[in-house]
Amino acid sequence: MSESYMIKVEKLNKSFGDLHVLKDINITVKESDVVCLIGASGSGKSTLLRCLNFLELKDSGNIIFEGEKVEKETHDLNKVREKVGMVFQHFHLFPHMTVLENVMEAPLHVKRQPKDQVKKDAQELLKKVGLSDKENVYPSKLSGGQKQRVAIARALAMKPDIMLFDEPTSALDPELVGEVLSTMKELALEGMTMVVVTHEMGFAREVADWAVYMHDGRIVEVGHPEDLFNSPREQRTKNFLDSVL
Protein backbone atom coordinates (compact mmCIF):
# COMPACT_ATOMS: atom_id res chain seq x y z
CA MET A 1 0.00 0.00 0.00
CA SER A 2 1.43 3.38 -0.93
CA GLU A 3 1.91 5.99 1.79
CA SER A 4 -0.97 8.43 1.92
CA TYR A 5 -0.06 11.72 0.32
CA MET A 6 -1.99 14.93 0.32
CA ILE A 7 -0.54 16.48 -2.83
CA LYS A 8 1.64 15.02 -5.54
CA VAL A 9 3.03 17.25 -8.28
CA GLU A 10 4.45 15.69 -11.45
CA LYS A 11 6.41 17.55 -14.11
CA LEU A 12 4.66 20.85 -13.42
CA ASN A 13 5.44 23.71 -15.80
CA LYS A 14 4.20 27.28 -15.69
CA SER A 15 5.13 30.28 -17.81
CA PHE A 16 4.05 33.90 -17.83
CA GLY A 17 4.56 35.03 -21.42
CA ASP A 18 8.19 34.29 -22.28
CA LEU A 19 9.16 33.78 -18.66
CA HIS A 20 9.37 30.07 -17.81
CA VAL A 21 8.77 30.23 -14.04
CA LEU A 22 8.33 26.56 -13.05
CA LYS A 23 10.32 23.87 -14.82
CA ASP A 24 9.38 20.21 -14.44
CA ILE A 25 8.55 20.42 -10.74
CA ASN A 26 8.09 17.08 -8.92
CA ILE A 27 7.14 17.12 -5.26
CA THR A 28 5.10 14.96 -2.88
CA VAL A 29 3.55 16.25 0.34
CA LYS A 30 2.34 13.54 2.70
CA GLU A 31 -0.32 13.95 5.34
CA SER A 32 0.94 15.91 8.39
CA ASP A 33 4.15 16.90 6.58
CA VAL A 34 5.52 20.39 7.07
CA VAL A 35 7.39 21.30 3.89
CA CYS A 36 9.39 24.55 3.72
CA LEU A 37 10.24 26.00 0.31
CA ILE A 38 13.41 28.06 0.45
CA GLY A 39 15.41 29.92 -2.17
CA ALA A 40 16.13 33.41 -3.46
CA SER A 41 13.31 35.71 -4.53
CA GLY A 42 12.22 34.91 -8.06
CA SER A 43 13.04 31.21 -7.83
CA GLY A 44 9.39 30.17 -8.35
CA LYS A 45 8.39 29.33 -4.76
CA SER A 46 5.30 31.55 -4.58
CA THR A 47 4.15 30.53 -8.06
CA LEU A 48 4.38 26.88 -7.03
CA LEU A 49 2.27 27.62 -3.98
CA ARG A 50 -0.33 29.45 -6.08
CA CYS A 51 -0.49 26.48 -8.45
CA LEU A 52 -1.15 24.17 -5.48
CA ASN A 53 -4.14 26.37 -4.61
CA PHE A 54 -5.17 26.69 -8.29
CA LEU A 55 -4.89 30.49 -8.09
CA GLU A 56 -2.51 30.01 -11.02
CA LEU A 57 -3.30 27.31 -13.55
CA LYS A 58 -0.47 25.07 -14.72
CA ASP A 59 0.62 24.89 -18.34
CA SER A 60 1.49 21.19 -18.18
CA GLY A 61 2.07 18.38 -15.71
CA ASN A 62 -0.18 16.94 -13.03
CA ILE A 63 -1.39 18.07 -9.63
CA ILE A 64 -2.89 15.14 -7.74
CA PHE A 65 -4.77 16.22 -4.64
CA GLU A 66 -5.92 13.57 -2.15
CA GLY A 67 -5.60 10.88 -4.82
CA GLU A 68 -7.43 12.74 -7.58
CA LYS A 69 -5.83 14.41 -10.55
CA VAL A 70 -7.27 17.94 -10.58
CA GLU A 71 -8.02 19.52 -13.95
CA LYS A 72 -9.94 22.72 -14.49
CA GLU A 73 -12.06 21.00 -17.14
CA THR A 74 -13.28 18.26 -14.79
CA HIS A 75 -13.21 19.81 -11.32
CA ASP A 76 -14.91 22.71 -9.60
CA LEU A 77 -11.72 24.46 -8.51
CA ASN A 78 -13.59 26.47 -5.89
CA LYS A 79 -14.61 23.22 -4.21
CA VAL A 80 -10.99 22.03 -4.23
CA ARG A 81 -9.84 25.40 -2.88
CA GLU A 82 -12.13 25.00 0.12
CA LYS A 83 -9.82 22.23 1.30
CA VAL A 84 -6.67 24.28 0.77
CA GLY A 85 -6.15 27.12 3.26
CA MET A 86 -3.94 29.97 2.07
CA VAL A 87 -2.19 32.65 4.11
CA PHE A 88 -0.55 35.45 2.13
CA GLN A 89 2.29 37.84 2.85
CA HIS A 90 -0.22 40.71 3.02
CA PHE A 91 -3.14 39.82 5.15
CA HIS A 92 -6.06 40.57 2.83
CA LEU A 93 -8.49 41.09 5.73
CA PHE A 94 -11.78 42.86 5.02
CA PRO A 95 -11.27 46.33 6.57
CA HIS A 96 -15.01 46.98 7.06
CA MET A 97 -15.49 43.80 9.12
CA THR A 98 -14.49 43.07 12.71
CA VAL A 99 -11.94 40.38 13.46
CA LEU A 100 -14.74 37.94 14.31
CA GLU A 101 -16.69 38.76 11.14
CA ASN A 102 -13.55 38.23 9.04
CA VAL A 103 -13.14 34.73 10.46
CA MET A 104 -16.86 33.91 10.08
CA GLU A 105 -17.22 35.18 6.51
CA ALA A 106 -16.21 32.12 4.45
CA PRO A 107 -17.92 29.34 6.46
CA LEU A 108 -21.11 31.45 6.46
CA HIS A 109 -21.17 32.43 2.80
CA VAL A 110 -19.15 29.74 1.05
CA LYS A 111 -20.10 26.70 3.11
CA ARG A 112 -23.44 28.17 4.24
CA GLN A 113 -23.08 26.78 7.74
CA PRO A 114 -25.45 27.83 10.56
CA LYS A 115 -24.46 31.17 12.06
CA ASP A 116 -24.41 30.05 15.72
CA GLN A 117 -22.02 27.22 14.98
CA VAL A 118 -19.81 29.39 12.78
CA LYS A 119 -19.58 32.04 15.51
CA LYS A 120 -18.66 29.44 18.13
CA ASP A 121 -15.99 27.92 15.86
CA ALA A 122 -14.60 31.37 15.00
CA GLN A 123 -14.32 32.29 18.69
CA GLU A 124 -12.47 29.01 19.33
CA LEU A 125 -10.04 29.80 16.50
CA LEU A 126 -9.40 33.30 17.81
CA LYS A 127 -8.67 31.77 21.19
CA LYS A 128 -6.27 29.35 19.50
CA VAL A 129 -4.31 32.21 17.88
CA GLY A 130 -4.38 34.24 21.11
CA LEU A 131 -6.79 36.96 19.97
CA SER A 132 -10.01 36.32 21.92
CA ASP A 133 -9.86 39.87 23.26
CA LYS A 134 -9.85 41.35 19.73
CA GLU A 135 -12.99 39.82 18.25
CA ASN A 136 -14.90 43.12 17.99
CA VAL A 137 -11.93 45.16 16.80
CA TYR A 138 -11.44 46.28 13.18
CA PRO A 139 -8.24 45.29 11.33
CA SER A 140 -6.95 48.88 11.21
CA LYS A 141 -6.50 48.74 15.00
CA LEU A 142 -4.31 45.61 14.91
CA SER A 143 -0.55 45.19 14.62
CA GLY A 144 0.81 43.32 11.60
CA GLY A 145 1.40 40.21 13.68
CA GLN A 146 -2.16 40.28 14.97
CA LYS A 147 -3.52 40.73 11.45
CA GLN A 148 -1.55 37.75 10.25
CA ARG A 149 -2.84 35.61 13.13
CA VAL A 150 -6.40 36.64 12.19
CA ALA A 151 -5.61 35.64 8.60
CA ILE A 152 -4.46 32.22 9.87
CA ALA A 153 -7.65 31.82 11.93
CA ARG A 154 -9.69 32.84 8.88
CA ALA A 155 -8.01 30.19 6.71
CA LEU A 156 -8.52 27.56 9.42
CA ALA A 157 -12.23 28.45 9.65
CA MET A 158 -12.82 26.52 6.42
CA LYS A 159 -11.36 23.40 8.12
CA PRO A 160 -8.87 22.86 5.31
CA ASP A 161 -6.94 19.63 4.82
CA ILE A 162 -3.74 21.52 4.03
CA MET A 163 -2.45 25.02 4.79
CA LEU A 164 -0.25 27.00 2.39
CA PHE A 165 1.74 29.95 3.72
CA ASP A 166 3.33 32.41 1.30
CA GLU A 167 6.07 34.24 3.21
CA PRO A 168 3.69 34.87 6.11
CA THR A 169 6.20 36.90 8.11
CA SER A 170 8.06 38.90 5.48
CA ALA A 171 5.78 41.98 5.74
CA LEU A 172 6.10 42.08 9.54
CA ASP A 173 8.34 44.11 11.82
CA PRO A 174 11.03 41.80 13.26
CA GLU A 175 9.61 41.87 16.78
CA LEU A 176 6.23 40.56 15.50
CA VAL A 177 7.59 37.61 13.52
CA GLY A 178 7.83 35.32 16.55
CA GLU A 179 4.14 35.44 17.43
CA VAL A 180 3.12 34.31 13.93
CA LEU A 181 5.77 31.58 13.80
CA SER A 182 4.70 30.23 17.17
CA THR A 183 1.09 29.97 15.93
CA MET A 184 2.40 28.04 12.92
CA LYS A 185 4.53 25.78 15.13
CA GLU A 186 1.45 24.93 17.13
CA LEU A 187 -0.42 23.95 13.97
CA ALA A 188 2.50 21.74 12.94
CA LEU A 189 2.45 20.01 16.33
CA GLU A 190 -1.27 19.33 15.88
CA GLY A 191 -0.50 17.51 12.63
CA MET A 192 -1.71 20.09 10.11
CA THR A 193 -0.23 19.46 6.66
CA MET A 194 1.62 22.65 5.69
CA VAL A 195 3.63 23.99 2.76
CA VAL A 196 5.46 27.16 3.74
CA VAL A 197 7.42 29.58 1.56
CA THR A 198 9.75 31.26 4.02
CA HIS A 199 12.95 33.22 4.51
CA GLU A 200 12.93 32.23 8.20
CA MET A 201 15.65 29.60 8.14
CA GLY A 202 15.39 28.99 11.89
CA PHE A 203 11.72 28.07 11.47
CA ALA A 204 12.49 25.79 8.51
CA ARG A 205 15.21 24.11 10.49
CA GLU A 206 13.14 23.59 13.61
CA VAL A 207 9.66 22.80 12.28
CA ALA A 208 9.94 21.38 8.75
CA ASP A 209 9.94 17.69 7.98
CA TRP A 210 11.38 18.54 4.58
CA ALA A 211 13.21 21.56 3.23
CA VAL A 212 13.05 22.13 -0.52
CA TYR A 213 15.61 24.43 -2.14
CA MET A 214 14.43 26.05 -5.37
CA HIS A 215 16.55 27.96 -7.85
CA ASP A 216 15.52 29.41 -11.21
CA GLY A 217 12.21 27.55 -11.35
CA ARG A 218 13.60 24.13 -10.48
CA ILE A 219 13.83 22.05 -7.35
CA VAL A 220 17.57 21.68 -6.79
CA GLU A 221 17.57 19.71 -3.55
CA VAL A 222 15.14 18.17 -1.05
CA GLY A 223 16.17 16.90 2.35
CA HIS A 224 15.53 16.75 6.05
CA PRO A 225 16.40 20.23 7.36
CA GLU A 226 19.35 18.99 9.41
CA ASP A 227 20.90 17.33 6.36
CA LEU A 228 20.09 20.12 3.95
CA PHE A 229 21.36 22.90 6.23
CA ASN A 230 24.40 21.11 7.62
CA SER A 231 25.64 19.19 4.59
CA PRO A 232 23.90 20.20 1.37
CA ARG A 233 24.71 17.91 -1.54
CA GLU A 234 24.44 20.57 -4.24
CA GLN A 235 26.86 23.47 -4.61
CA ARG A 236 23.99 25.84 -5.48
CA THR A 237 22.24 24.96 -2.21
CA LYS A 238 25.48 25.56 -0.31
CA ASN A 239 26.00 28.93 -1.97
CA PHE A 240 22.46 30.00 -1.10
CA LEU A 241 22.73 28.90 2.52
CA ASP A 242 26.12 30.60 2.87
CA SER A 243 24.49 33.84 1.73
CA VAL A 244 21.55 33.70 4.18
CA LEU A 245 22.86 31.96 7.29
Side-chain angles (χ1 to χ4, degrees):
M1 190 180 123
S2 67
E3 270 188 281
S4 70
Y5 60 80
M6 188 70 71
I7 289 187
K8 191 179 186 117
V9 174
E10 301 170 331
K11 285 200 166 311
L12 183 74
N13 282 275
K14 175 71 185 171
S15 295
F16 296 103
D18 294 337
L19 190 62
H20 194 174
V21 180
L22 296 177
K23 303 166 184 170
D24 286 335
I25 296 286
N26 295 300
I27 189 172
T28 301
V29 180
K30 296 200 293 291
E31 214 169 312
S32 297
D33 269 356
V34 177
V35 176
C36 281
L37 304 178
I38 62 172
S41 297
S43 55
K45 308 180 300 296
S46 293
T47 302
L48 173 55
L49 215 58
R50 292 172 72 85
C51 286
L52 295 182
N53 192 22
F54 308 99
L55 288 171
E56 298 291 354
L57 298 179
K58 63 188 172 65
D59 295 334
S60 64
N62 296 318
I63 298 176
I64 302 161
F65 180 62
E66 295 182 334
E68 259 192 84
K69 186 154 55 157
V70 178
E71 299 289 354
K72 70 175 190 295
E73 295 75 21
T74 53
H75 286 75
D76 177 349
L77 295 183
N78 286 328
K79 279 273 171 266
V80 181
R81 277 190 206 111
E82 284 179 21
K83 298 179 180 179
V84 184
M86 182 98 174
V87 176
F88 299 89
Q89 181 176 352
H90 300 287
F91 328 107
H92 299 312
L93 298 177
F94 296 114
H96 61 288
M97 291 183 183
T98 65
V99 163
L100 186 65
E101 288 165 346
N102 264 283
V103 178
M104 290 173 63
E105 173 71 5
L108 272 181
H109 295 107
V110 179
K111 287 193 162 178
R112 303 196 182 286
Q113 292 173 334
K115 189 167 185 179
D116 291 350
Q117 187 59 48
V118 169
K119 183 174 181 181
K120 193 163 159 271
D121 290 348
Q123 286 171 323
E124 277 300 307
L125 286 169
L126 288 173
K127 188 170 158 191
K128 182 188 189 74
V129 299
L131 291 171
S132 290
D133 58 332
K134 301 289 185 202
E135 64 174 58
N136 297 316
V137 170
Y138 287 89
S140 60
K141 297 281 186 277
L142 300 178
S143 72
Q146 289 168 332
K147 287 178 189 169
Q148 195 58 294
R149 285 185 285 152
V150 174
I152 292 171
R154 184 181 59 180
L156 290 171
M158 290 295 280
K159 300 189 169 67
D161 294 344
I162 184 169
M163 286 282 281
L164 309 178
F165 293 87
D166 190 5
E167 298 191 19
T169 58
S170 64
L172 301 180
D173 294 331
E175 69 273 15
L176 302 175
V177 167
E179 65 191 57
V180 173
L181 293 181
S182 68
T183 299
M184 292 167 65
K185 279 178 199 167
E186 214 161 288
L187 284 179
L189 288 171
E190 289 167 9
M192 174 58 81
T193 310
M194 292 160 57
V195 181
V196 184
V197 172
T198 187
H199 291 295
E200 299 291 335
M201 296 301 147
F203 175 81
R205 205 170 199 151
E206 185 186 339
V207 181
D209 297 295
W210 299 98
V212 176
Y213 171 59
M214 290 182 68
H215 176 78
D216 191 27
R218 296 183 192 279
I219 290 178
V220 175
E221 187 166 349
V222 179
H224 287 292
E226 277 311 299
D227 301 334
L228 192 112
F229 283 98
N230 295 338
S231 45
R233 294 189 307 275
E234 300 286 334
Q235 187 59 43
R236 278 179 303 180
T237 314
K238 187 177 181 329
N239 294 346
F240 169 73
L241 291 170
D242 286 346
S243 73
V244 296
L245 291 178

